[in-house]
Amino acid sequence: MFPYEDAAGTLALAVATPVDNETLRATELALQQPVALAVATAEDIDAALATSLGAEQTAAPAEANAPRGDDDIDDLRDLARGAPVVRALDDLLRMAVDQRGTDLHIEPFGNTLQVRIRVDGMLKPVASPPIAMAKGILSRLKIMSGLNITERRMPQDGRAKIVVGGAEIDLRVATMPTMGGESAVVRLLRKGSGFVAINQVGLSAADETKLRHTLDAPFGMLIVTGPTGSGKTTTLAASLAVINQTSRKILTIEDPVEYQIPGINQTQVHPSIGLTFASALRSFLRQDPDVIMVGEMRDAETAHIGVHAALTGHLVLTTLHTNTAAGAIPRMIDMGLESFLLASSVRAIIGQRLVRVLCEHCRVRHELTVKEIAADYRYETLGFKAGETVYQPKGCDYCGGIGFRGRKGVFEVMEIGPEVRRAIGPKIDAADLEAVARREGMTTMTEDGVAKCRAGMTTLDEVFRVTMSL
């Protein structure tokens, strides 16, 4: 040790370590180089450090990413910032976007890490990083989405944004502890993507006419039903585009805003500060709207406000999670709404699913035989005859060898006409209500799917995969 004076004139001690002449010469040359100032974000600095340390960390990735017994936040942050982990997660997200994926599943199973991408509603496995990188990938996902990286015993939900190929992608990240380790599902939402026109969603001519007639009404409620991922938001966005006029004020509350439509005031829910569907809907009524779109009827309060808004001169568009169009009425009665209010306010209910569309480049024309019809009861039940033409999937480079590319909706549109309105009561059954609607001319989802099958758009197996009944 030797004494020296620092910049403030204070006597200090420094520890001298033996160095060779080459090191001293290199240090002197480095100090003589001009220094340029630059401004960078914390993420850019992390990425630069990760890149500079990449060779060193790549030499022993298994050791760097090996599971540890007691992880602290610094260890996990270092693990998540490593170049191999950063590169692996970026590659997975880019792959999911390039393959038109809607969800990315990252799942550890014992000694393997399984990664799957949902494309056109179906999961397919892809090449996965080694299991040694699982903890690092999950930690990086958590950092990106603002989650607690040290908490692996409880499920967590978060959000993030990335840019791939110039397109901004919103990520909704959900983690879950499992027996094999912590897994994650990432929902990919393409921000600012163009919405589908009403004549492109898959509605038949008759059903599209019914929908347009409902949208022309000055007040009332339009409900779109179906499970998660069935295209309900796309149908609502296409509907809003039809009525988007300067003479109408349109307000929406969504979670999240998937389609940005010029001329429409769109709001995203923010539960942490109290901005929920119900609170936004209450505020909307003071904004002098003509049309209100509520992303989802999640609770009784939102449903009550929405129904009363429909009764007081507003056109309300919303979604509900039910299996069929007719099932929406008993569901809302179960939420505490009076049946006479529903009969007065609801104008139409749409039930929908998404079926995969046959690839136009490789679909195969096929004539049904007597033997095939006898072997599969569905053909005879639905009225298919021997010699009738259907199409089957084959697979090519364009569709990735699957035989399908893209999806279209199969629909049932139940207009609330006089007979259906009279049938709505406090103890109405969905099956009875559907029977009345069919007598009034409603086409079921299965019937609409069979028509698309006959048109060569999809297959009978695909229709039954999403409808599950005749």
Side-chain angles (χ1 to χ4, degrees), residues 377-384 446-447 450 454 460 463-464 469-470:
Y377 74 95
R378 298 175 301 179
Y379 287 117
E380 184 177 359
T381 305
L382 295 170
F384 284 89
T446 301
E447 291 168 341
V450 170
R454 283 193 162 101
L460 194 61
V463 171
F464 272 73
S469 64
L470 293 176

Side-chain angles (χ1 to χ4, degrees), residues 355-402:
V355 296
R356 293 182 296 169
V357 176
L358 284 166
C359 175
E360 294 183 356
H361 291 76
C362 66
R363 64 179 184 173
V364 178
R365 181 187 176 96
H366 176 72
E367 288 188 1
L368 291 173
T369 65
V370 175
K371 184 177 180 181
E372 288 172 330
I373 292 175
D376 192 337
Y377 74 95
R378 298 175 301 179
Y379 287 117
E380 184 177 359
T381 305
L382 295 170
F384 284 89
K385 305 294 183 182
E388 192 168 348
T389 299
V390 294
Y391 288 83
Q392 297 176 342
K394 180 182 178 182
C396 64
D397 292 339
Y398 181 70
C399 61
I402 299 174

Side-chain angles (χ1 to χ4, degrees), residues 199-353:
N199 59 355
Q200 296 176 328
V201 297
L203 286 161
S204 65
D207 285 345
E208 184 180 336
T209 300
K210 293 178 184 178
L211 175 56
R212 288 183 180 273
H213 180 259
T214 301
L215 295 173
D216 286 337
F219 60 89
M221 179 176 285
L222 169 66
I223 304 173
V224 183
T225 70
T228 300
S230 59
K232 300 186 298 296
T233 302
T234 301
T235 301
L236 286 182
S239 300
L240 288 175
V242 171
I243 58 178
N244 184 17
Q245 303 164 356
T246 55
S247 59
R248 278 180 158 179
K249 177 157 185 175
I250 304 175
L251 301 175
T252 76
I253 177 66
E254 306 170 60
D255 182 26
V257 176
E258 294 187 34
Y259 299 97
Q260 296 182 17
I261 308 175
I264 294 180
N265 297 277
Q266 297 174 268
T267 305
Q268 183 163 312
V269 299
H270 202 328
S272 62
I273 61 172
L275 182 57
T276 62
F277 285 113
S279 64
L281 193 49
R282 283 194 300 270
S283 299
F284 280 0
L285 297 177
R286 298 189 290 270
Q287 295 292 315
D288 188 30
D290 297 294
V291 181
I292 298 172
M293 195 271 269
V294 183
E296 184 183 342
M297 292 289 187
R298 289 185 178 176
D299 52 68
E301 184 182 7
T302 306
H304 275 90
I305 300 173
V307 167
H308 284 88
L311 288 170
T312 54
H314 306 88
L315 181 62
V316 179
L317 285 66
T318 188
T319 71
L320 197 64
H321 286 160
T322 60
N323 291 327
T324 62
I329 296 297
R331 174 75 180 97
M332 296 187 77
I333 291 175
D334 186 59
M335 293 171 71
L337 290 163
E338 293 84 356
S339 58
F340 68 90
L341 291 178
L342 294 175
S344 302
S345 61
V346 179
R347 289 189 174 270
I349 305 173
I350 300 175
Q352 71 177 79
R353 300 289 190 279

Side-chain angles (χ1 to χ4, degrees), residues 5 32 36 78 81 98 104 131-132 149 163 171 174-175 179 207 213 234 260 304 330 334 344 380 383 405 437:
E5 283 191 359
Q32 292 173 5
D78 292 342
R81 290 170 179 168
D98 292 342
L104 173 66
I131 186 62
I149 62 175
V163 177
L171 306 180
T175 65
M179 295 301 294
D207 285 345
H213 180 259
T234 301
Q260 296 182 17
H304 275 90
D334 186 59
S344 302
E380 184 177 359
R405 185 178 174 88

